[in-house]
Amino acid sequence: MPIYNVMEEIVKNVLDENIEQLHLSCTCKRCRNDILAISLNKLPPHYIVNKDSSPYIRAAYTADRQGATNILSTVIQAAEIVAKNKRCGN
Amino acid sequence: MPIYNVMEEIVKNVLDENIEQLHLSCTCKRCRNDILAISLNKLPPHYIVNKDSSPYIRAAYTADRQGATNILSTVIQAAEIVAKNKRCGN
């Protein structure tokens, strides 16, 4: 489906860039995907039809200090939830 | 990315099931995708990691009369917005 939620890419970048500072007890794919899903369910979606406009939208979110801080705190909360309820079996 | 927003499938089904009643002036792919994107940006995302659970989540939304009505009215509003601002050039 050509529609695309830019927030997926934004949250993934924030998680990847902060993975060290998050001190996750497990960084397996399942745990990271659980963190992404929980975060995305708490953040407003930003669907676009034309993926070419994705970089501009991502840049706008990054430039918006408050928005970027909100996304990071959402990812931190999601990481805490996953740390307490790991579903990967590790 | 294995994470997946079940709301995408739900809204697509609602649009496909009601496409006749919506009396869209244009039913091209671009217009339908614009309707999906606008609708999804107004509805709470429901991301899952395991696509196998998608049917149960979809069924829950369908069974929830109020939720289903809300999704349909969101799609109707989005269809009106797209009808006034077609970006397909038709």
Side-chain angles (χ1 to χ4, degrees):
Chain A
M1 187 140 29
I3 59 169
Y4 171 71
N5 183 10
V6 179
M7 195 56 85
E8 287 185 26
E9 214 172 308
I10 292 168
V11 172
K12 191 176 181 310
N13 291 343
V14 167
L15 177 58
D16 292 344
E17 284 158 17
N18 294 278
I19 199 105
E20 302 297 332
Q21 294 90 315
L22 285 169
H23 306 298
L24 300 177
S25 53
C26 179
T27 56
C28 76
K29 208 158 193 288
R30 180 61 201 251
C31 282
R32 274 183 290 150
N33 283 332
D34 280 338
I35 293 170
L36 288 179
I38 292 169
S39 302
L40 285 163
N41 284 334
K42 292 182 176 184
L43 291 164
H46 194 125
Y47 277 87
I48 56 175
V49 178
N50 184 345
K51 221 174 176 180
D52 303 342
S53 53
S54 171
Y56 308 105
I57 294 164
R58 272 188 289 134
Y61 270 97
T62 315
D64 165 20
R65 290 303 333 143
Q66 184 56 47
T69 309
N70 178 42
I71 293 169
L72 179 56
S73 69
T74 301
V75 168
I76 292 168
Q77 284 168 29
E80 285 163 8
I81 292 169
V82 171
K84 287 178 201 139
N85 307 278
K86 275 193 287 184
R87 295 194 295 177
C88 63
N90 294 352
Chain B
M1 188 142 25
I3 59 168
Y4 171 70
N5 183 9
V6 179
M7 194 57 85
E8 285 185 26
E9 214 173 310
I10 293 169
V11 172
K12 191 177 180 309
N13 290 344
V14 168
L15 177 58
D16 291 346
E17 283 159 19
N18 294 278
I19 200 104
E20 301 298 332
Q21 295 90 315
L22 286 169
H23 305 298
L24 301 176
S25 52
C26 180
T27 57
C28 75
K29 208 158 193 282
R30 179 63 200 252
C31 284
R32 275 182 289 150
N33 284 331
D34 280 338
I35 292 169
L36 290 179
I38 291 169
S39 303
L40 286 162
N41 284 334
K42 293 182 175 183
L43 292 164
H46 194 125
Y47 277 88
I48 57 174
V49 178
N50 184 343
K51 220 172 177 180
D52 303 342
S53 53
S54 171
Y56 309 105
I57 295 164
R58 271 187 290 137
Y61 270 97
T62 315
D64 165 21
R65 291 296 343 136
Q66 184 56 49
T69 309
N70 178 43
I71 292 168
L72 179 56
S73 68
T74 301
V75 169
I76 292 168
Q77 283 168 30
E80 283 163 9
I81 292 169
V82 172
K84 287 180 202 138
N85 307 278
K86 275 193 288 188
R87 296 193 294 176
C88 62
N90 294 352

